[in-house]
Amino acid sequence: MNQKELGELRRRLRPGKNAISHIYGCYVSPLKQVIAEVDQPMSLLGEDDAESCLALLRKALSGGLGRSLIDIEFSTRQVAEGEEHKLLRELRESRLKNQELRRAFYDKVIQSVDMGEDNYLILLACDSYDVPFRSKNDEGMDDGSETVFTYLACALCPMREGKPGLGYVSAENALHVKTAGRLAAPPEVGFLWPAFDNRAANLYNALYYVRRPELLHG
């Protein structure tokens, strides 16, 4: 992926600009215990709530390519036989609607990451993008669709005391903008799969985000 392709996807992650039907979440304790799972239709989210969710997903597509954003390549064997790649494919094919698949994904993430002493939120969404034609001189795009790019976007956000932001409301089992309590901080890690290479899906690659690249390279 290049910066232009990345910017094209980031612009989609705005209210009214995407085809995301639901925002999914999993609230996790420092002891790797699932506190709650969230499934919220985008159509029922308030404007502030929707923008807060999308802003966190956008943040996981920010930073410099090769530094905060790392291209991850799956081997041919991983694509053909790997359990992780199979799970990603099934999640994408189901548009995240299968709860058992989502739970299997959450379990793998929880066992793979260490978020220290923070509770954290796994934020997950699926978007389908009717990619418009781009002119040969790259000066603009028309309304015709060249292909449909369906992708998963994920962000892992520590829950901390801070400025007003997205928080978990247990009474509603939902995510809402709050002014106090534990709120979602910018994501520490995240990913996009498949990669948007040459403005089409590349199932062999994912884009991995890390907020502090010095820890990744250290």
PDB file of all heavy atoms in Angstrom, residues 129-160:
ATOM      1  N   TYR A 129     -16.234  -1.419   0.027  1.00  0.00           N
ATOM      2  CA  TYR A 129     -15.972  -0.184  -0.717  1.00  0.00           C
ATOM      3  C   TYR A 129     -16.098  -0.449  -2.211  1.00  0.00           C
ATOM      4  O   TYR A 129     -15.350  -1.251  -2.767  1.00  0.00           O
ATOM      5  CB  TYR A 129     -14.560   0.286  -0.365  1.00  0.00           C
ATOM      6  CG  TYR A 129     -14.050   1.524  -1.076  1.00  0.00           C
ATOM      7  CD1 TYR A 129     -14.899   2.510  -1.549  1.00  0.00           C
ATOM      8  CD2 TYR A 129     -12.679   1.713  -1.242  1.00  0.00           C
ATOM      9  CE1 TYR A 129     -14.412   3.644  -2.189  1.00  0.00           C
ATOM     10  CE2 TYR A 129     -12.175   2.841  -1.869  1.00  0.00           C
ATOM     11  CZ  TYR A 129     -13.049   3.794  -2.341  1.00  0.00           C
ATOM     12  OH  TYR A 129     -12.556   4.917  -2.964  1.00  0.00           O
ATOM     13  N   ASP A 130     -17.069   0.212  -2.865  1.00  0.00           N
ATOM     14  CA  ASP A 130     -17.169   0.169  -4.324  1.00  0.00           C
ATOM     15  C   ASP A 130     -16.101   1.096  -4.877  1.00  0.00           C
ATOM     16  O   ASP A 130     -16.297   2.309  -4.962  1.00  0.00           O
ATOM     17  CB  ASP A 130     -18.561   0.619  -4.784  1.00  0.00           C
ATOM     18  CG  ASP A 130     -19.644  -0.390  -4.438  1.00  0.00           C
ATOM     19  OD1 ASP A 130     -19.379  -1.597  -4.523  1.00  0.00           O
ATOM     20  OD2 ASP A 130     -20.749   0.033  -4.062  1.00  0.00           O
ATOM     21  N   VAL A 131     -14.964   0.535  -5.247  1.00  0.00           N
ATOM     22  CA  VAL A 131     -13.802   1.332  -5.636  1.00  0.00           C
ATOM     23  C   VAL A 131     -14.071   1.999  -6.983  1.00  0.00           C
ATOM     24  O   VAL A 131     -14.276   1.313  -7.985  1.00  0.00           O
ATOM     25  CB  VAL A 131     -12.535   0.459  -5.715  1.00  0.00           C
ATOM     26  CG1 VAL A 131     -11.321   1.315  -6.040  1.00  0.00           C
ATOM     27  CG2 VAL A 131     -12.321  -0.307  -4.405  1.00  0.00           C
ATOM     28  N   PRO A 132     -14.084   3.320  -7.037  1.00  0.00           N
ATOM     29  CA  PRO A 132     -14.360   4.005  -8.308  1.00  0.00           C
ATOM     30  C   PRO A 132     -13.168   3.941  -9.251  1.00  0.00           C
ATOM     31  O   PRO A 132     -12.021   3.751  -8.840  1.00  0.00           O
ATOM     32  CB  PRO A 132     -14.631   5.446  -7.868  1.00  0.00           C
ATOM     33  CG  PRO A 132     -13.867   5.595  -6.598  1.00  0.00           C
ATOM     34  CD  PRO A 132     -13.893   4.258  -5.922  1.00  0.00           C
ATOM     35  N   PHE A 133     -13.473   4.060 -10.538  1.00  0.00           N
ATOM     36  CA  PHE A 133     -12.395   4.138 -11.519  1.00  0.00           C
ATOM     37  C   PHE A 133     -11.548   5.368 -11.260  1.00  0.00           C
ATOM     38  O   PHE A 133     -12.049   6.419 -10.875  1.00  0.00           O
ATOM     39  CB  PHE A 133     -12.970   4.239 -12.945  1.00  0.00           C
ATOM     40  CG  PHE A 133     -13.586   2.973 -13.454  1.00  0.00           C
ATOM     41  CD1 PHE A 133     -14.960   2.863 -13.569  1.00  0.00           C
ATOM     42  CD2 PHE A 133     -12.800   1.892 -13.821  1.00  0.00           C
ATOM     43  CE1 PHE A 133     -15.548   1.697 -14.039  1.00  0.00           C
ATOM     44  CE2 PHE A 133     -13.371   0.732 -14.292  1.00  0.00           C
ATOM     45  CZ  PHE A 133     -14.749   0.635 -14.400  1.00  0.00           C
ATOM     46  N   ARG A 134     -10.262   5.233 -11.462  1.00  0.00           N
ATOM     47  CA  ARG A 134      -9.363   6.375 -11.396  1.00  0.00           C
ATOM     48  C   ARG A 134      -8.835   6.628 -12.801  1.00  0.00           C
ATOM     49  O   ARG A 134      -8.450   5.696 -13.505  1.00  0.00           O
ATOM     50  CB  ARG A 134      -8.195   6.117 -10.441  1.00  0.00           C
ATOM     51  CG  ARG A 134      -7.313   7.345 -10.221  1.00  0.00           C
ATOM     52  CD  ARG A 134      -6.128   7.025  -9.317  1.00  0.00           C
ATOM     53  NE  ARG A 134      -6.514   6.785  -7.934  1.00  0.00           N
ATOM     54  CZ  ARG A 134      -6.739   7.743  -7.051  1.00  0.00           C
ATOM     55  NH1 ARG A 134      -6.640   9.017  -7.401  1.00  0.00           N
ATOM     56  NH2 ARG A 134      -7.072   7.452  -5.821  1.00  0.00           N
ATOM     57  N   SER A 135      -8.818   7.884 -13.212  1.00  0.00           N
ATOM     58  CA  SER A 135      -8.374   8.211 -14.559  1.00  0.00           C
ATOM     59  C   SER A 135      -6.894   7.868 -14.735  1.00  0.00           C
ATOM     60  O   SER A 135      -6.128   7.794 -13.777  1.00  0.00           O
ATOM     61  CB  SER A 135      -8.594   9.703 -14.830  1.00  0.00           C
ATOM     62  OG  SER A 135      -7.852  10.485 -13.921  1.00  0.00           O
ATOM     63  N   LYS A 136      -6.489   7.648 -15.968  1.00  0.00           N
ATOM     64  CA  LYS A 136      -5.107   7.256 -16.250  1.00  0.00           C
ATOM     65  C   LYS A 136      -4.094   8.297 -15.780  1.00  0.00           C
ATOM     66  O   LYS A 136      -2.992   7.956 -15.367  1.00  0.00           O
ATOM     67  CB  LYS A 136      -4.937   6.989 -17.749  1.00  0.00           C
ATOM     68  CG  LYS A 136      -5.654   5.732 -18.226  1.00  0.00           C
ATOM     69  CD  LYS A 136      -5.380   5.463 -19.692  1.00  0.00           C
ATOM     70  CE  LYS A 136      -6.066   4.184 -20.157  1.00  0.00           C
ATOM     71  NZ  LYS A 136      -5.804   3.917 -21.589  1.00  0.00           N
ATOM     72  N   ASN A 137      -4.481   9.562 -15.856  1.00  0.00           N
ATOM     73  CA  ASN A 137      -3.555  10.606 -15.414  1.00  0.00           C
ATOM     74  C   ASN A 137      -3.629  10.841 -13.906  1.00  0.00           C
ATOM     75  O   ASN A 137      -2.971  11.729 -13.376  1.00  0.00           O
ATOM     76  CB  ASN A 137      -3.799  11.914 -16.172  1.00  0.00           C
ATOM     77  CG  ASN A 137      -5.211  12.443 -15.977  1.00  0.00           C
ATOM     78  OD1 ASN A 137      -5.943  11.994 -15.091  1.00  0.00           O
ATOM     79  ND2 ASN A 137      -5.592  13.408 -16.801  1.00  0.00           N
ATOM     80  N   ASP A 138      -4.496  10.025 -13.235  1.00  0.00           N
ATOM     81  CA  ASP A 138      -4.576  10.040 -11.766  1.00  0.00           C
ATOM     82  C   ASP A 138      -5.084  11.368 -11.231  1.00  0.00           C
ATOM     83  O   ASP A 138      -4.835  11.729 -10.078  1.00  0.00           O
ATOM     84  CB  ASP A 138      -3.210   9.735 -11.147  1.00  0.00           C
ATOM     85  CG  ASP A 138      -3.341   9.071  -9.785  1.00  0.00           C
ATOM     86  OD1 ASP A 138      -4.334   8.364  -9.567  1.00  0.00           O
ATOM     87  OD2 ASP A 138      -2.450   9.275  -8.946  1.00  0.00           O
ATOM     88  N   GLU A 139      -5.845  12.104 -12.064  1.00  0.00           N
ATOM     89  CA  GLU A 139      -6.318  13.418 -11.635  1.00  0.00           C
ATOM     90  C   GLU A 139      -7.670  13.371 -10.943  1.00  0.00           C
ATOM     91  O   GLU A 139      -8.062  14.322 -10.287  1.00  0.00           O
ATOM     92  CB  GLU A 139      -6.390  14.362 -12.837  1.00  0.00           C
ATOM     93  CG  GLU A 139      -5.012  14.755 -13.375  1.00  0.00           C
ATOM     94  CD  GLU A 139      -5.106  15.723 -14.526  1.00  0.00           C
ATOM     95  OE1 GLU A 139      -6.252  15.971 -14.983  1.00  0.00           O
ATOM     96  OE2 GLU A 139      -4.062  16.227 -14.968  1.00  0.00           O
ATOM     97  N   GLY A 140      -8.389  12.286 -11.082  1.00  0.00           N
ATOM     98  CA  GLY A 140      -9.702  12.229 -10.449  1.00  0.00           C
ATOM     99  C   GLY A 140     -10.346  10.882 -10.615  1.00  0.00           C
ATOM    100  O   GLY A 140      -9.803   9.988 -11.262  1.00  0.00           O
ATOM    101  N   MET A 141     -11.529  10.723  -9.977  1.00  0.00           N
ATOM    102  CA  MET A 141     -12.256   9.466 -10.033  1.00  0.00           C
ATOM    103  C   MET A 141     -13.686   9.741 -10.471  1.00  0.00           C
ATOM    104  O   MET A 141     -14.253  10.785 -10.170  1.00  0.00           O
ATOM    105  CB  MET A 141     -12.237   8.783  -8.658  1.00  0.00           C
ATOM    106  CG  MET A 141     -10.853   8.365  -8.202  1.00  0.00           C
ATOM    107  SD  MET A 141     -10.849   7.505  -6.616  1.00  0.00           S
ATOM    108  CE  MET A 141     -11.112   8.872  -5.492  1.00  0.00           C
ATOM    109  N   ASP A 142     -14.275   8.791 -11.204  1.00  0.00           N
ATOM    110  CA  ASP A 142     -15.680   8.946 -11.583  1.00  0.00           C
ATOM    111  C   ASP A 142     -16.533   8.014 -10.745  1.00  0.00           C
ATOM    112  O   ASP A 142     -16.061   7.369  -9.816  1.00  0.00           O
ATOM    113  CB  ASP A 142     -15.874   8.719 -13.091  1.00  0.00           C
ATOM    114  CG  ASP A 142     -15.500   7.292 -13.511  1.00  0.00           C
ATOM    115  OD1 ASP A 142     -15.628   6.378 -12.671  1.00  0.00           O
ATOM    116  OD2 ASP A 142     -15.103   7.106 -14.662  1.00  0.00           O
ATOM    117  N   ASP A 143     -17.824   7.938 -11.075  1.00  0.00           N
ATOM    118  CA  ASP A 143     -18.752   7.184 -10.245  1.00  0.00           C
ATOM    119  C   ASP A 143     -18.766   5.693 -10.566  1.00  0.00           C
ATOM    120  O   ASP A 143     -19.388   4.923  -9.833  1.00  0.00           O
ATOM    121  CB  ASP A 143     -20.172   7.749 -10.391  1.00  0.00           C
ATOM    122  CG  ASP A 143     -20.273   9.159  -9.834  1.00  0.00           C
ATOM    123  OD1 ASP A 143     -19.517   9.455  -8.894  1.00  0.00           O
ATOM    124  OD2 ASP A 143     -21.098   9.933 -10.331  1.00  0.00           O
ATOM    125  N   GLY A 144     -18.132   5.275 -11.639  1.00  0.00           N
ATOM    126  CA  GLY A 144     -18.140   3.866 -11.996  1.00  0.00           C
ATOM    127  C   GLY A 144     -17.344   3.035 -11.009  1.00  0.00           C
ATOM    128  O   GLY A 144     -16.316   3.462 -10.503  1.00  0.00           O
ATOM    129  N   SER A 145     -17.834   1.829 -10.713  1.00  0.00           N
ATOM    130  CA  SER A 145     -17.142   0.957  -9.771  1.00  0.00           C
ATOM    131  C   SER A 145     -16.278  -0.041 -10.523  1.00  0.00           C
ATOM    132  O   SER A 145     -16.746  -0.744 -11.418  1.00  0.00           O
ATOM    133  CB  SER A 145     -18.158   0.219  -8.900  1.00  0.00           C
ATOM    134  OG  SER A 145     -17.503  -0.653  -8.015  1.00  0.00           O
ATOM    135  N   GLU A 146     -15.009  -0.092 -10.147  1.00  0.00           N
ATOM    136  CA  GLU A 146     -14.066  -1.009 -10.777  1.00  0.00           C
ATOM    137  C   GLU A 146     -14.080  -2.359 -10.081  1.00  0.00           C
ATOM    138  O   GLU A 146     -13.989  -3.401 -10.704  1.00  0.00           O
ATOM    139  CB  GLU A 146     -12.664  -0.398 -10.717  1.00  0.00           C
ATOM    140  CG  GLU A 146     -11.617  -1.153 -11.501  1.00  0.00           C
ATOM    141  CD  GLU A 146     -10.297  -0.397 -11.521  1.00  0.00           C
ATOM    142  OE1 GLU A 146      -9.976   0.258 -10.509  1.00  0.00           O
ATOM    143  OE2 GLU A 146      -9.605  -0.456 -12.545  1.00  0.00           O
ATOM    144  N   THR A 147     -14.215  -2.340  -8.755  1.00  0.00           N
ATOM    145  CA  THR A 147     -14.219  -3.561  -7.956  1.00  0.00           C
ATOM    146  C   THR A 147     -14.789  -3.238  -6.583  1.00  0.00           C
ATOM    147  O   THR A 147     -14.928  -2.077  -6.217  1.00  0.00           O
ATOM    148  CB  THR A 147     -12.782  -4.117  -7.815  1.00  0.00           C
ATOM    149  OG1 THR A 147     -12.826  -5.386  -7.163  1.00  0.00           O
ATOM    150  CG2 THR A 147     -11.903  -3.181  -7.010  1.00  0.00           C
ATOM    151  N   VAL A 148     -15.138  -4.259  -5.824  1.00  0.00           N
ATOM    152  CA  VAL A 148     -15.595  -4.075  -4.449  1.00  0.00           C
ATOM    153  C   VAL A 148     -14.497  -4.580  -3.529  1.00  0.00           C
ATOM    154  O   VAL A 148     -14.065  -5.728  -3.631  1.00  0.00           O
ATOM    155  CB  VAL A 148     -16.910  -4.826  -4.177  1.00  0.00           C
ATOM    156  CG1 VAL A 148     -17.311  -4.674  -2.715  1.00  0.00           C
ATOM    157  CG2 VAL A 148     -18.019  -4.309  -5.080  1.00  0.00           C
ATOM    158  N   PHE A 149     -14.043  -3.713  -2.648  1.00  0.00           N
ATOM    159  CA  PHE A 149     -12.993  -4.051  -1.689  1.00  0.00           C
ATOM    160  C   PHE A 149     -13.633  -4.191  -0.314  1.00  0.00           C
ATOM    161  O   PHE A 149     -14.076  -3.214   0.279  1.00  0.00           O
ATOM    162  CB  PHE A 149     -11.923  -2.960  -1.681  1.00  0.00           C
ATOM    163  CG  PHE A 149     -10.866  -3.130  -0.626  1.00  0.00           C
ATOM    164  CD1 PHE A 149     -10.058  -4.254  -0.599  1.00  0.00           C
ATOM    165  CD2 PHE A 149     -10.677  -2.160   0.353  1.00  0.00           C
ATOM    166  CE1 PHE A 149      -9.079  -4.411   0.378  1.00  0.00           C
ATOM    167  CE2 PHE A 149      -9.704  -2.301   1.334  1.00  0.00           C
ATOM    168  CZ  PHE A 149      -8.908  -3.440   1.347  1.00  0.00           C
ATOM    169  N   THR A 150     -13.698  -5.421   0.185  1.00  0.00           N
ATOM    170  CA  THR A 150     -14.247  -5.692   1.516  1.00  0.00           C
ATOM    171  C   THR A 150     -13.095  -5.946   2.468  1.00  0.00           C
ATOM    172  O   THR A 150     -12.246  -6.800   2.199  1.00  0.00           O
ATOM    173  CB  THR A 150     -15.200  -6.900   1.478  1.00  0.00           C
ATOM    174  OG1 THR A 150     -16.281  -6.617   0.585  1.00  0.00           O
ATOM    175  CG2 THR A 150     -15.770  -7.182   2.859  1.00  0.00           C
ATOM    176  N   TYR A 151     -13.079  -5.226   3.574  1.00  0.00           N
ATOM    177  CA  TYR A 151     -11.929  -5.310   4.465  1.00  0.00           C
ATOM    178  C   TYR A 151     -12.361  -5.245   5.923  1.00  0.00           C
ATOM    179  O   TYR A 151     -13.454  -4.773   6.260  1.00  0.00           O
ATOM    180  CB  TYR A 151     -10.932  -4.185   4.173  1.00  0.00           C
ATOM    181  CG  TYR A 151     -11.459  -2.796   4.415  1.00  0.00           C
ATOM    182  CD1 TYR A 151     -11.215  -2.124   5.610  1.00  0.00           C
ATOM    183  CD2 TYR A 151     -12.207  -2.130   3.442  1.00  0.00           C
ATOM    184  CE1 TYR A 151     -11.695  -0.849   5.832  1.00  0.00           C
ATOM    185  CE2 TYR A 151     -12.689  -0.852   3.666  1.00  0.00           C
ATOM    186  CZ  TYR A 151     -12.437  -0.222   4.859  1.00  0.00           C
ATOM    187  OH  TYR A 151     -12.932   1.047   5.075  1.00  0.00           O
ATOM    188  N   LEU A 152     -11.486  -5.746   6.796  1.00  0.00           N
ATOM    189  CA  LEU A 152     -11.661  -5.673   8.237  1.00  0.00           C
ATOM    190  C   LEU A 152     -10.735  -4.602   8.787  1.00  0.00           C
ATOM    191  O   LEU A 152      -9.578  -4.500   8.378  1.00  0.00           O
ATOM    192  CB  LEU A 152     -11.316  -7.013   8.894  1.00  0.00           C
ATOM    193  CG  LEU A 152     -11.981  -8.264   8.332  1.00  0.00           C
ATOM    194  CD1 LEU A 152     -11.462  -9.503   9.056  1.00  0.00           C
ATOM    195  CD2 LEU A 152     -13.498  -8.174   8.437  1.00  0.00           C
ATOM    196  N   ALA A 153     -11.240  -3.826   9.731  1.00  0.00           N
ATOM    197  CA  ALA A 153     -10.427  -2.836  10.431  1.00  0.00           C
ATOM    198  C   ALA A 153     -10.555  -3.085  11.926  1.00  0.00           C
ATOM    199  O   ALA A 153     -11.664  -3.309  12.428  1.00  0.00           O
ATOM    200  CB  ALA A 153     -10.874  -1.420  10.092  1.00  0.00           C
ATOM    201  N   CYS A 154      -9.425  -3.059  12.631  1.00  0.00           N
ATOM    202  CA  CYS A 154      -9.419  -3.379  14.058  1.00  0.00           C
ATOM    203  C   CYS A 154      -8.502  -2.413  14.800  1.00  0.00           C
ATOM    204  O   CYS A 154      -7.460  -2.022  14.277  1.00  0.00           O
ATOM    205  CB  CYS A 154      -8.944  -4.820  14.255  1.00  0.00           C
ATOM    206  SG  CYS A 154      -8.905  -5.371  15.979  1.00  0.00           S
ATOM    207  N   ALA A 155      -8.899  -2.034  16.013  1.00  0.00           N
ATOM    208  CA  ALA A 155      -8.081  -1.173  16.873  1.00  0.00           C
ATOM    209  C   ALA A 155      -8.173  -1.676  18.304  1.00  0.00           C
ATOM    210  O   ALA A 155      -9.262  -2.021  18.778  1.00  0.00           O
ATOM    211  CB  ALA A 155      -8.557   0.278  16.792  1.00  0.00           C
ATOM    212  N   LEU A 156      -7.028  -1.726  18.989  1.00  0.00           N
ATOM    213  CA  LEU A 156      -6.969  -2.113  20.402  1.00  0.00           C
ATOM    214  C   LEU A 156      -6.656  -0.862  21.220  1.00  0.00           C
ATOM    215  O   LEU A 156      -5.565  -0.294  21.111  1.00  0.00           O
ATOM    216  CB  LEU A 156      -5.897  -3.179  20.640  1.00  0.00           C
ATOM    217  CG  LEU A 156      -6.323  -4.641  20.450  1.00  0.00           C
ATOM    218  CD1 LEU A 156      -6.724  -4.907  19.001  1.00  0.00           C
ATOM    219  CD2 LEU A 156      -5.216  -5.583  20.867  1.00  0.00           C
ATOM    220  N   CYS A 157      -7.640  -0.447  22.007  1.00  0.00           N
ATOM    221  CA  CYS A 157      -7.561   0.837  22.701  1.00  0.00           C
ATOM    222  C   CYS A 157      -7.559   0.659  24.217  1.00  0.00           C
ATOM    223  O   CYS A 157      -8.509   0.077  24.776  1.00  0.00           O
ATOM    224  CB  CYS A 157      -8.766   1.703  22.321  1.00  0.00           C
ATOM    225  SG  CYS A 157      -9.004   1.899  20.541  1.00  0.00           S
ATOM    226  N   PRO A 158      -6.533   1.145  24.919  1.00  0.00           N
ATOM    227  CA  PRO A 158      -6.551   1.119  26.385  1.00  0.00           C
ATOM    228  C   PRO A 158      -7.716   1.957  26.913  1.00  0.00           C
ATOM    229  O   PRO A 158      -8.076   2.973  26.325  1.00  0.00           O
ATOM    230  CB  PRO A 158      -5.214   1.748  26.775  1.00  0.00           C
ATOM    231  CG  PRO A 158      -4.381   1.727  25.534  1.00  0.00           C
ATOM    232  CD  PRO A 158      -5.322   1.789  24.387  1.00  0.00           C
ATOM    233  N   MET A 159      -8.307   1.529  28.028  1.00  0.00           N
ATOM    234  CA  MET A 159      -9.388   2.284  28.662  1.00  0.00           C
ATOM    235  C   MET A 159      -8.801   2.982  29.880  1.00  0.00           C
ATOM    236  O   MET A 159      -8.375   2.338  30.845  1.00  0.00           O
ATOM    237  CB  MET A 159     -10.526   1.357  29.064  1.00  0.00           C
ATOM    238  CG  MET A 159     -11.112   0.560  27.903  1.00  0.00           C
ATOM    239  SD  MET A 159     -11.909   1.579  26.636  1.00  0.00           S
ATOM    240  CE  MET A 159     -13.404   2.077  27.488  1.00  0.00           C
ATOM    241  N   ARG A 160      -8.768   4.325  29.839  1.00  0.00           N
ATOM    242  CA  ARG A 160      -8.108   5.102  30.877  1.00  0.00           C
ATOM    243  C   ARG A 160      -8.953   6.316  31.247  1.00  0.00           C
ATOM    244  O   ARG A 160      -9.814   6.737  30.473  1.00  0.00           O
ATOM    245  CB  ARG A 160      -6.729   5.572  30.400  1.00  0.00           C
ATOM    246  CG  ARG A 160      -5.753   4.436  30.107  1.00  0.00           C
ATOM    247  CD  ARG A 160      -4.527   4.943  29.400  1.00  0.00           C
ATOM    248  NE  ARG A 160      -3.561   3.871  29.157  1.00  0.00           N
ATOM    249  CZ  ARG A 160      -2.610   3.937  28.236  1.00  0.00           C
ATOM    250  NH1 ARG A 160      -2.482   5.013  27.474  1.00  0.00           N
ATOM    251  NH2 ARG A 160      -1.776   2.921  28.068  1.00  0.00           N
TER     252      ARG A 160
END
